[in-house]
Amino acid sequence: MFATTLALIATRADVREELDRLGAHVAAARELLYKAASMAETNHPQLGKYSAMAKLFASETANRAAKEGLQIFGGNGYVKDYPVEKLYRDMRVFQIYDGPSEIQKIP
């Protein structure tokens, strides 16, 4: 049921465009994470800054992706038959875990 619904939704140009945009944000978050991990291996002096940026950007990207998923699926996004509902709940935990995103923004 989910795969069929997803296939039908993905044929819309506006949905494909948003999914492409989210994919770009996910790729950017991944690269920022890799940079922070590389800095951790060398004990770089700016490791704290980059790890906070990676956490902030990744959690905000997850938040945006989960919210857009709910928006795309409409009322079905809140039904437990669709994985979007669980992803949205998990995203909130990820965003709060290890300090809320607002803390990461403090210079």
Side-chain angles (χ1 to χ4, degrees), residues 10-84:
T11 60
R12 295 186 46 157
D14 57 336
V15 172
R16 281 196 319 268
E17 184 179 314
E18 183 58 32
L19 292 176
D20 289 343
R21 193 173 306 124
L22 288 171
H25 280 266
V26 169
R30 185 176 292 127
E31 290 301 317
L32 195 52
L33 172 67
Y34 291 160
K35 181 166 180 63
S38 174
M39 293 174 113
E41 289 179 347
T42 62
N43 202 20
H44 194 279
Q46 290 198 333
L47 171 62
K49 175 183 174 181
Y50 277 86
S51 61
M53 288 190 316
K55 191 264 184 202
L56 174 65
F57 193 75
S59 66
E60 287 182 349
T61 298
N63 183 20
R64 180 176 176 194
K67 284 182 178 178
E68 284 299 320
L70 284 178
Q71 190 72 16
I72 289 168
F73 279 89
N76 288 334
Y78 291 100
V79 178
K80 290 196 183 238
D81 294 342
Y82 290 83
V84 176

